[in-house]
Amino acid sequence: MTYALKFHDLSLGYDRQPAVHRLQGEIAEGSLTAIVGPNGAGKSTVLKGVTGSLRPIEGRIALGGLTRSEIAYLPQHSDVDRSFPVAVADLVGMGLWREIGGFGGLRAVHRARVAEAIAAVGLEGFERRPIGSLSGGQIQRALFARLLLQDARLVLLDEPFTAVDARTMADLIGVVRRWHGEGRTVLAVLHDFDTVRAHFPRTLMLARELVAHGPTAEVLTAENQFRARQMCEACTGPPHSCGRGAA
Amino acid sequence: MWEALVQPFADFGFMRRALVGCVAISLGATPVGVFLMLRRMSLTGDAMAHAILPGAAVGYLVSGLSLGAMTVGGLIAGLAVALLAGFVTRATALREDASLAAFYLISLAAGVLIVSTRGSNVDLMHVLFGTVLALDNAALILLGAIASLTLFTLAVLFRPLVLECADPQFLRSVSGLSAVAHLTLLVLVVLNLVGGFQALGTLMAVGIMILPAAAARFWTVSIGALIAVATAIGMLSSVSGLLLSYHFSLPSGPAIILVAGLAYGISLVLGPVSGLAARALWGRYLEA
């Protein structure tokens, strides 16, 4: 099976302080993978490394035939300025950037696709509503609609279901499963193990270093969770010693 | 009514020139002010207004009241501060507000020092407060050119600018235009301030940029309408300020900006989009 991503001895960090240490492994193309681990385990940092917004301190990330423009990324705390005077349809339409660029116009076919994406996340009737009037769950739905339009081969989601109600979560998981069904690679940082067990066939567990990676049932064991917690507690020491004692 | 509103412009060439100059400034500066406000950079306009002072002062001292020399000097000083602040923000941990404050304060101090040691208080007052009633043809052409260039640039870069304001993280993830949009906005701020100081002075020029934009925010929730309303408020403030200045012998620059301030005050109270009255009425409705 070909890979979408391969981590080669990857170390990532901030101000030369590693947050992820010597990560090895690959994410298969078309896979649906959850990244789990304790707080501060480096889960979001890995996604930032994949998007290219954070350069590796050591090692590298190989994109298996992908270009950066084929990656869509939904960060944990989206930067969207909710007070900005823009309508839901305009926010969602930004997902067409790669097709129409910064200067092209929206044609009828594009508007139809925007309407389709808005309908797919259950926001029909909200097209002309200012984004400032949306609830947290509704804005997350709109951001998923924008991801739909990005039509990316690799989708990165950082805590996508945090602070959304159960119905919104169920609908958005439906969108994630649809991407998986279409053969796209999805990599999602999650903290709720029940959601991971129910919907994500593969899991990568991090504690600044790789704890385990493989089928979810084999990764989410009590032993691995205990080990991950110990490794992260050990990470309060010097970065180079991260995880060594516990592992 | 005709005599009060139209006669001054019909009778006096300097009033017509002032009107054309102020309309040009409103057309160019207020849309830039809207983007500054939406990018939460309203005070950046004020900082840049101070930053262009040493360039304009050097131009004035070298060539006297030469439009070209003062404009080029102001442009160089303003762009230098904008680019240096942008570079420091991207290259270090210092945030943009802090790096911009550092450079504009250095620039302002240098400007005041130059004018104080080589010029007079009258020179300083001219640069700080402008002379809208003494605009010549060259100044009007400059103001018209800056307004045209600003509107053209905003039309071309509209989408990247909107995205840079609304969701800069997303823009950076899909395009390399984030830095271009940001720097272009800063360049447009400098251009319009340099144009504006001919008429309103460095300190007052920022008023016509920000006050109409802030007032318009209380009337509409769409970006296009926001720009249109802000431009209309800018133009109305210009005409009203000039007429007040004429009839009551007031300095024209402050009169124009105070009228824009009045428009802001009225909008703050009566504006339907989260204005004070609207919020009070909505609160009562919810209680009932």
Side-chain angles (χ1 to χ4, degrees):
Chain A
M1 186 178 283
T2 54
Y3 66 87
L5 291 172
K6 193 180 270 187
F7 306 117
H8 293 277
D9 215 15
L10 176 71
S11 292
L12 293 160
Y14 306 92
D15 296 327
R16 307 293 301 171
Q17 296 295 314
V20 173
H21 197 63
R22 303 205 154 203
L23 179 62
Q24 296 274 10
E26 66 179 54
I27 305 294
E29 194 172 339
S31 62
L32 177 52
T33 306
I35 302 181
V36 300
N39 289 338
K43 306 181 293 290
S44 302
T45 305
V46 169
L47 296 193
K48 287 177 189 168
V50 175
T51 62
S53 63
L54 198 61
R55 289 179 185 279
I57 297 171
E58 279 182 297
R60 66 189 182 91
I61 302 171
L63 301 175
L66 286 172
T67 60
R68 296 264 182 223
S69 66
E70 290 172 305
I71 301 173
Y73 170 51
L74 182 62
Q76 186 175 0
H77 302 292
S78 178
D79 244 1
V80 175
D81 178 359
R82 301 270 291 275
S83 69
F84 195 87
V86 67
V88 170
D90 296 326
L91 176 75
V92 174
M94 290 168 185
L96 291 167
W97 182 282
R98 288 190 182 104
E99 272 179 61
I100 59 175
F103 314 108
L106 276 180
R107 296 200 303 275
V109 62
H110 295 129
R111 290 184 206 286
R113 284 178 54 200
V114 170
E116 197 181 307
I118 289 173
V121 297
L123 278 182
E124 297 117 312
F126 285 76
E127 288 84 353
R128 298 320 314 164
R129 287 267 293 268
I131 58 171
S133 68
L134 299 185
S135 68
Q138 287 166 338
I139 197 85
Q140 198 70 348
R141 286 172 186 262
L143 293 173
F144 261 71
R146 188 171 73 179
L147 283 173
L148 276 171
L149 286 180
Q150 283 186 258
D151 197 22
R153 284 173 61 197
L154 172 60
V155 182
L156 308 173
L157 306 169
D158 195 350
E159 301 277 12
F161 311 126
T162 303
V164 299
D165 59 61
R167 189 177 160 196
T168 301
M169 184 171 152
D171 288 348
L172 297 184
I173 284 175
V175 175
V176 170
R177 294 183 72 86
R178 173 180 152 186
W179 283 325
H180 182 48
E182 291 168 349
R184 301 176 201 274
T185 310
V186 180
L187 198 55
V189 170
L190 296 169
H191 64 269
D192 179 14
F193 286 177
D194 290 338
T195 305
V196 176
R197 284 194 186 94
H199 303 288
F200 287 76
R202 295 185 67 80
T203 297
L204 187 154
M205 187 180 282
L206 273 181
R208 293 205 177 180
E209 293 180 43
L210 183 66
V211 177
H213 181 202
T216 295
E218 293 172 20
V219 172
L220 290 187
T221 61
E223 185 192 355
N224 280 340
Q225 290 175 48
F226 178 70
R227 198 166 143 237
R229 275 197 301 275
Q230 277 196 317
M231 285 166 75
C232 259
E233 282 162 13
C235 289
T236 51
H240 62 271
S241 69
C242 176
R244 295 280 178 241
Chain B
M1 184 66 90
W2 171 267
E3 281 185 10
L5 297 182
V6 180
Q7 206 68 38
F9 297 112
D11 287 349
F12 299 104
F14 71 86
M15 284 294 284
R16 287 196 296 276
R17 287 171 178 282
L19 181 65
V20 171
C22 287
V23 165
I25 291 170
S26 302
L27 275 173
T30 47
V32 173
V34 168
F35 279 104
L36 274 184
M37 177 187 68
L38 293 175
R39 188 77 173 85
R40 303 181 183 199
M41 289 168 59
S42 297
L43 288 174
T44 298
D46 193 40
M48 296 311 300
H50 290 81
I52 63 178
L53 185 64
V58 168
Y60 178 74
L61 290 174
V62 170
S63 307
L65 261 177
S66 157
L67 179 70
M70 289 173 71
T71 302
V72 170
L75 265 180
I76 291 172
L79 291 179
V81 168
L83 294 175
L84 278 171
F87 169 75
V88 169
T89 306
R90 280 174 162 73
T92 70
L94 207 61
R95 288 179 179 273
E96 182 157 32
D97 60 334
S99 58
L100 192 60
F103 283 113
Y104 102 72
L105 287 168
I106 293 167
S107 191
L108 175 66
V112 172
L113 189 77
I114 291 166
V115 176
S116 303
T117 53
R118 300 285 305 277
S120 66
N121 283 342
V122 178
D123 301 333
L124 184 62
M125 293 300 277
H126 173 79
V127 175
L128 289 179
F129 299 111
T131 47
V132 73
L133 299 180
L135 292 174
D136 58 13
N137 284 349
L140 288 184
I141 289 169
L142 177 76
L143 292 177
I146 288 173
S148 305
L149 180 67
T150 301
L151 292 178
F152 177 75
T153 307
L154 289 180
V156 171
L157 278 179
F158 187 76
R159 189 174 296 147
L161 273 172
V162 165
L163 207 40
E164 172 67 11
C165 297
D167 193 352
Q169 199 172 35
F170 179 75
L171 180 60
R172 281 194 292 276
S173 76
V174 296
S175 156
L177 285 173
S178 175
V180 173
H182 185 67
L183 285 176
T184 303
L185 182 61
L186 286 179
V187 169
L188 288 179
V189 170
V190 173
L191 263 179
N192 280 279
L193 288 174
V194 168
F197 89 70
Q198 313 288 340
L200 300 169
T202 53
L203 297 187
M204 294 293 132
V206 74
I208 205 71
M209 191 174 269
I210 298 299
L211 281 170
R217 197 72 175 90
F218 292 104
W219 295 100
T220 177
V221 291
S222 121
I223 176 81
L226 199 56
I227 291 173
V229 172
T231 306
I233 290 174
M235 287 187 184
L236 278 173
S237 303
S238 298
V239 176
S240 311
L242 282 173
L243 287 170
L244 284 173
S245 155
Y246 175 84
H247 290 298
F248 299 101
S249 301
L250 301 171
S252 47
I256 291 168
I257 302 306
L258 280 175
V259 173
L262 181 66
Y264 171 76
I266 292 169
S267 305
L268 174 69
V269 176
L270 299 178
V273 182
S274 73
L276 294 175
R279 286 176 89 97
L281 284 173
W282 183 243
R284 276 189 197 175
Y285 170 77
L286 287 178
E287 282 170 14

